[in-house]
Amino acid sequence: MTEEPNTTELTVVVPCYNEAANVAPMVQRLEAALRGIAWEVVFVDDDSPDGTIREVRAIAAHDPRVRGIRRIGRRGLASAVTEGVLSSSALHVAVIDGDLQHDETILPAMLAAVQGGAEVAVGSRHTEGGEAGSGFSASRAKVSDAGTRMAALLLPTPVGDPMSGFFLMRQSLFEAIAPNLSSRGFKILLDLLLSAGRPLRVAEVPYRFRPRVAGESKLDAAVLLEFLGLLLDKALGGWLPWRFISFAAVGLIGVGVHLAVLGLAARVPGMQFEAAQWMATLVAMTANFLLNNRITYRDSRLKGARLWQGLLLFYLVCGIGAVANVGIAGLLVRENLAGWGLAGAAGALLTGVWNYAVSSTLVWRSR
């Protein structure tokens, strides 16, 4: 028997975390906005503790247009979007946040723009007729504006709102670009535009950003730093992983922390250098761990008991790296292969690579 061909015109992908209260309203709003269009919605849930996936399953039990993907041991908006889009067999895919701040009523206009020749339709707050509205706090607006300015330096085609998480395109185009995506962080649109290998035809459809109904904002200063890492990754052609760039940047901050603590300890009467050095090292390693957990490994962040276990393992990893640093540098000096400066730099480079490689595979390993 011949199967009926797939007639779904549009898959709407909704990456979500702790959005249980928004699932039913999202489905209702999509149903009202997409009348006359063959659509489905895929909620990609990062194992939310609030039972988001249960809400999705309850609706899906009686509505075949609703699907849910539950991800365990994986976090991050970009990778969630990628998995949701690649699960679709529709002609077109749209991405919309699960917090109801995006205006789903413009989806038909976005679809018409792509059907009319655009390759990507972006729901834009920063084009004529668009507005950030009261959905953006002053701090979030500053983060978004800073990201937009940085993105403009690299984008092959001007886009007024490259920080938007609301866009629509042909599924086949996304699938063609997918192997080049970093799939890290929170700004998948920018990743797509920079990974396409050529300028894409972009249509911006204005909308007014709504106030949040439920859930928590994911846009903060750490997201901006992650965003900067993505830009550097693309600017360098992907030859140096953005995680390593972030890890190295955090390491430089750690050097500053180390020197600051050492300077303070030197003012303590009777403090010996060795004791001060160990104190500074411990404080710097702790700062590096917390910053890496918050920024570099944001998508696999450790919490609760696993945070403390990870910190102890990080101490061990960095301790081994420090021994290797001293050993290699000392060998180079003893054998007259390098002066103090070059030997120290070689040891530091070895330590940085070691700490990054082992931390990625042991401390923040995917589970």
Side-chain angles (χ1 to χ4, degrees):
M1 184 175 67
T2 303
E3 293 185 1
E4 289 292 325
N6 176 62
T7 56
T8 303
E9 181 71 30
L10 176 65
T11 296
V12 181
V13 176
V14 185
C16 47
Y17 184 75
N18 283 345
E19 306 282 6
N22 295 331
V23 172
M26 173 64 77
V27 174
Q28 294 166 2
R29 292 183 182 198
L30 290 176
E31 186 168 31
L34 297 174
R35 285 197 175 96
I37 298 171
W39 63 277
E40 66 172 0
V41 59
V42 178
F43 291 90
V44 186
D45 176 54
D46 286 354
D47 200 25
S48 300
D50 75 341
T52 297
I53 198 65
R54 289 197 301 272
E55 294 297 317
V56 175
R57 303 280 192 235
I59 298 172
H62 57 80
D63 190 339
R65 298 171 301 180
V66 178
R67 293 194 287 124
I69 297 174
R70 178 189 179 196
R71 306 198 311 163
I72 298 177
R74 303 192 302 288
R75 292 285 297 275
L77 185 144
S79 60
V81 167
T82 301
E83 290 188 34
V85 171
L86 296 183
S87 77
S88 168
S89 298
L91 293 175
H92 301 90
V93 290
V95 176
I96 188 170
D97 283 355
D99 55 19
L100 306 179
Q101 292 189 282
H102 293 156
D103 183 0
E104 73 290 332
T105 64
I106 69 167
L107 282 169
M110 294 168 70
L111 179 61
V114 171
Q115 290 172 331
E119 291 179 292
V120 183
V122 177
S124 178
R125 300 156 294 186
H126 305 314
T127 193
E128 185 177 356
E131 184 183 347
S134 58
F136 249 30
S137 64
S139 59
R140 290 187 70 193
K142 289 179 180 178
V143 171
S144 181
D145 290 344
T148 298
R149 287 193 296 271
M150 288 190 293
L153 300 175
L154 286 181
L155 281 172
T157 185
V159 179
D161 196 359
M163 295 283 278
S164 178
F166 187 20
F167 61 91
L168 185 149
M169 62 196 300
R170 292 186 68 87
Q171 198 277 348
S172 57
L173 176 59
F174 188 105
E175 191 146 8
I177 300 173
N180 301 323
L181 296 174
S182 69
S183 290
R184 302 286 184 185
F186 286 75
K187 296 304 167 186
I188 182 69
L189 175 62
L190 178 70
D191 200 353
L192 283 163
L193 295 173
L194 293 176
S195 300
R198 60 177 178 81
L200 297 178
R201 297 186 301 277
V202 177
E204 296 195 69
V205 181
Y207 80 101
R208 185 178 185 277
F209 198 63
R210 297 167 175 157
R212 176 175 295 276
V213 175
E216 300 176 354
S217 171
K218 303 172 183 66
L219 186 62
D220 55 20
V223 169
L224 182 59
L225 292 174
E226 197 171 60
F227 186 73
L228 178 59
L230 173 63
L231 291 177
L232 287 172
D233 180 30
K234 296 302 179 182
L236 295 172
W239 69 269
L240 193 61
W242 77 265
R243 275 202 199 274
F244 183 77
I245 296 171
S246 176
F247 195 91
V250 168
L252 289 176
I253 295 173
V255 171
V257 170
H258 183 105
L259 294 177
V261 173
L262 199 60
L264 291 173
R267 301 178 183 179
V268 178
M271 176 69 71
Q272 298 296 313
F273 174 77
E274 289 79 5
Q277 179 76 340
W278 276 111
M279 181 189 303
T281 299
L282 187 64
V283 173
M285 284 195 297
T286 304
N288 280 7
F289 172 80
L290 294 174
L291 286 172
N292 278 313
N293 192 56
R294 185 71 177 86
I295 299 170
T296 308
Y297 299 97
R298 182 186 180 96
D299 57 348
S300 52
R301 191 184 312 169
L302 303 176
K303 297 180 180 180
R306 297 189 74 249
L307 177 70
W308 299 107
Q309 293 167 5
L311 177 59
L312 293 175
L313 188 54
F314 189 75
Y315 286 153
L316 177 61
V317 166
C318 292
I320 294 173
V323 171
N325 181 348
V326 174
I328 293 295
L331 177 63
L332 291 175
V333 171
R334 285 194 304 272
E335 298 296 327
N336 294 317
L337 297 174
W340 280 30
L342 184 58
L349 178 61
L350 175 67
T351 300
V353 173
W354 163 267
N355 289 346
Y356 168 71
V358 179
S359 294
S360 295
T361 55
L362 293 180
V363 181
W364 287 280
R365 65 187 183 277
S366 298
R367 59 193 191 279

